[in-house]
Amino acid sequence: MNLVWHRADLRLHDNPALAAALRSGPALGLVVLDPNILSNTSARRRAWFCRNVAALREAYARCGGTLLVRSGLPWEVLPRVVAELGLRRVFAVRNSTPYARFRDRKVEEALPGRVAWFHGQYVQEPGEILKPDGGPYTVFTPYFRRWWAALEGEPLEVPARFPPAALPPEYDPGSLPEESSDVPLPPAGEEAALGALEAFLSDRLPLYHQTRDRLDGSGGSRLSYYFTLGVLSPRLAVRRALRVGGEGARKWVSELAWRDFSGELLHNFPHMARSAFDPRWDGLPWQDDPELFGAWLEGRTGIPVVDAAMRELRATGFLSNRARMVVAQFAVKLALLPWQKCERAFRDLLLDGDNASNLQGWQWAGGLGVDAAPYFRVFNLAAQAQTHDPGGDWLRRWVPESEGRLEPYGRPVLDLEAARRRYLEAAARIARGGPRG
Ligand SMILES: Cc1cc2nc3c(=O)[nH]c(=O)nc-3n(C[C@H](O)[C@H](O)[C@H](O)COP(=O)(O)OP(=O)(O)OC[C@H]3O[C@@H](n4cnc5c(N)ncnc54)[C@H](O)[C@@H]3O)c2cc1C
């Protein structure tokens, strides 16, 4: 009997580790509640994770299988479970964040030669799409060209009934903690995710290229919280979208390529978890001001579009891509808040919070050297609201006290024009390679 260790692949469909394990006989599933991950995140994200593990357990049961749940450090838990049940091998989908690579090395050391790794977190795996000279891409457009050319393969089928896996009668499958969330959670599990994908493909995909930038997020798929935990296979989503075809589909698929590109960047440049992608930008005159940070985080800066976004994020755990760009750029370029602190707090508020995509998003929006985003582009915040929330409904919903006005209200925490000048002067000095500060 074999073991399938699920991590960021909380699904049965198109799961290469599960498909391979079942091809070689009976298999049990396992989720490890790793304190290094779960104690380090917010209650809403723990609750979302646990709901999806519960849904996976039900999916296993429907196929006649069993999903075990254990708490502890994976490199201690896995050898114990393998020994207790006399299991042959462990099958797992590879993850590539710095912690995941450290964790997986420790598990391999504890179970030498008995762990088989598979691709499945991304459409194209980190480390596979390389420049003709063999080096990693740092700019999206040429990466995407190669990513697109390498698209191949159909999603994998997993049998509807698993071969029976006999557990000793007294063996405890383990229980999941009751985690409560401070925001309403979307329906969990792959059936819900696949249903949401189909609804998006038929209703909103055809116009996605025109509607994706809406501040209220109504033009997007809202599937990111399923992709982050691997509840939905990105490869299957790409295949289905391409079958629909059209400009909307091509644009949407390119956004999933951005997700892969984020994984690729963090895989090849792990320093970006701590410092600017281009370390010169670490030299911006950061303002570690707790009051300013609190005002940004709680949506009380007095800048309507920034406050609307942060309030929505706190109240729902979700935010459109446009709104994420706006609040990140405000925090980095105008408030000069230490971006690492903002990125971390922001990730904990997101149900789809993901190290690679969040780091890429922050560093791209903040002009810190990711891709070809120029440092001197600074949003006009009122224009952002006007263009991407033309009726003003989103702004009025989240910041009623601004009374639909686009300009700063109350007592704004920053003079936007002075802040813009301060940033551009400091950034130009750094770009010219002159003295910092
Ligand atoms: C500052 C900032 C932080 C971000 N943090 C995260 C994060 O923690 N987790 C996360 O999943 N995405 C993050 N993103 C990317 C993007 O904003 C979200 O994936 C998207 O808004 C989710 O909405 P959706 O599912 O409707 O996306 P859609 O527009 O429907 O896009 C489809 C899918 O493509 C992926 N995707 C879309 N845009 C991007 C992008 N720019 N980078 C990477 N993947 C993308 C997502 O998986 C998304 O579900 C961040 C972007 C910024 C600017």
Side-chain angles (χ1 to χ4, degrees):
M1 194 157 60
N2 293 311
L3 189 68
V4 182
W5 177 24
H6 293 270
R7 299 98 62 81
D9 57 312
L10 300 182
R11 64 176 186 269
L12 303 185
H13 72 272
D14 193 34
N15 187 321
L18 176 64
L22 291 176
R23 272 199 300 276
S24 61
L28 293 167
L30 170 72
V31 168
V32 181
L33 306 174
D34 179 346
N36 283 332
I37 296 177
L38 292 175
S39 312
N40 265 323
T41 192
S42 55
R44 60 176 68 175
R45 296 193 55 205
R46 271 197 300 276
W48 177 235
F49 178 76
C50 289
R51 294 268 178 100
N52 281 290
V53 175
L56 181 64
R57 179 170 253 183
E58 284 167 21
Y60 259 84
R62 279 198 295 279
C63 297
T66 302
L67 180 77
L68 307 173
V69 175
R70 291 286 181 274
S71 293
L73 298 169
W75 50 92
E76 292 171 8
V77 169
L78 274 125
R80 203 160 51 231
V81 172
V82 164
E84 283 166 359
L85 295 169
L87 301 170
R88 276 193 300 142
R89 296 182 75 200
V90 175
F91 292 70
V93 169
R94 208 180 271 289
N95 303 155
S96 65
T97 60
Y99 173 68
R101 285 158 81 174
F102 162 81
R103 173 195 65 195
D104 295 351
R105 244 191 336 268
K106 304 259 304 173
V107 169
E108 274 179 336
E109 282 163 17
L111 290 168
R114 295 173 75 182
V115 189
W117 302 107
F118 297 84
H119 293 167
Q121 189 182 9
Y122 293 102
V123 181
Q124 312 280 9
E125 286 298 307
E128 286 201 340
I129 302 292
L130 296 170
K131 293 201 283 195
D133 69 4
Y137 282 103
T138 53
V139 175
F140 178 73
T141 305
Y143 167 85
F144 179 56
R145 245 181 260 127
R146 228 175 162 79
W147 182 96
W148 181 267
L151 275 182
E152 59 176 20
E154 286 298 318
L156 293 165
E157 295 292 335
V158 168
R161 293 295 299 171
F162 294 177
L167 269 186
E170 72 290 358
Y171 197 77
D172 177 11
S175 55
L176 274 164
E178 276 297 319
E179 292 282 353
S180 58
S181 168
D182 60 338
V183 292
L185 295 176
E190 61 191 305
E191 274 190 21
L194 289 164
L197 171 67
E198 292 309 326
F200 169 70
L201 295 180
S202 60
D203 301 345
R204 304 198 299 288
L205 183 70
L207 290 181
Y208 175 78
H209 54 299
Q210 292 167 3
T211 55
R212 57 181 290 269
D213 264 330
R214 289 181 183 164
L215 277 162
D216 67 5
S218 60
S221 63
R222 290 184 180 247
L223 292 171
S224 48
Y225 31 70
Y226 295 119
F227 287 127
T228 289
L229 295 183
V231 178
L232 184 58
S233 154
R235 203 161 63 134
L236 174 133
V238 164
R239 283 284 160 223
R240 294 263 162 95
L242 291 177
R243 220 173 286 155
V244 175
E247 209 174 323
R250 274 193 299 279
K251 187 68 198 163
W252 194 66
V253 166
S254 78
E255 294 307 320
L256 276 162
W258 266 102
R259 178 175 178 271
D260 283 19
F261 185 54
S262 307
E264 184 78 47
L265 287 178
L266 185 58
H267 175 82
N268 294 312
F269 305 100
H271 76 274
M272 70 183 285
R274 298 176 306 278
S275 62
F277 192 82
D278 175 346
R280 285 180 309 159
W281 299 111
D282 286 333
L284 282 168
W286 304 106
Q287 310 290 306
D288 196 358
D289 173 343
E291 276 185 29
L292 189 56
F293 176 73
W296 169 78
L297 189 62
E298 290 165 17
R300 45 181 180 77
T301 62
I303 320 293
V305 65
V306 173
D307 292 352
M310 292 309 291
R311 290 181 197 181
E312 179 183 11
L313 175 58
R314 295 176 76 80
T316 68
F318 185 81
L319 205 55
S320 67
N321 185 58
R322 175 62 45 181
R324 293 182 204 211
M325 291 196 293
V326 165
V327 293
Q329 200 186 84
F330 171 85
V332 176
K333 293 189 175 177
L334 296 175
L336 286 171
L337 287 166
W339 70 268
Q340 295 92 334
K341 194 169 156 182
C342 302
E343 184 270 333
R344 184 59 222 249
F346 194 74
R347 189 174 354 132
D348 280 344
L349 290 170
L350 284 166
L351 292 180
D352 66 25
D354 168 77
N355 282 31
S357 293
N358 204 45
L359 285 163
Q360 174 272 117
W362 271 85
Q363 298 226 23
W364 186 89
L368 300 174
V370 160
D371 192 40
Y375 77 85
F376 47 79
R377 186 180 296 154
V378 183
F379 289 149
N380 174 327
L381 296 173
Q384 286 291 312
Q386 193 160 38
T387 309
H388 302 297
D389 177 40
D393 291 345
W394 175 77
L395 213 56
R396 270 191 299 276
R397 172 170 181 208
W398 293 106
V399 191
E401 66 271 39
S402 76
E403 296 171 341
R405 282 193 305 273
L406 304 176
E407 300 306 326
Y409 66 98
R411 293 172 55 198
V413 291
L414 280 183
D415 172 339
L416 292 179
E417 194 37 48
R420 186 168 171 280
R421 272 200 309 275
R422 175 182 65 176
Y423 163 74
L424 286 174
E425 279 164 21
R429 261 199 306 277
I430 290 176
R432 284 196 305 269
R436 294 170 172 185

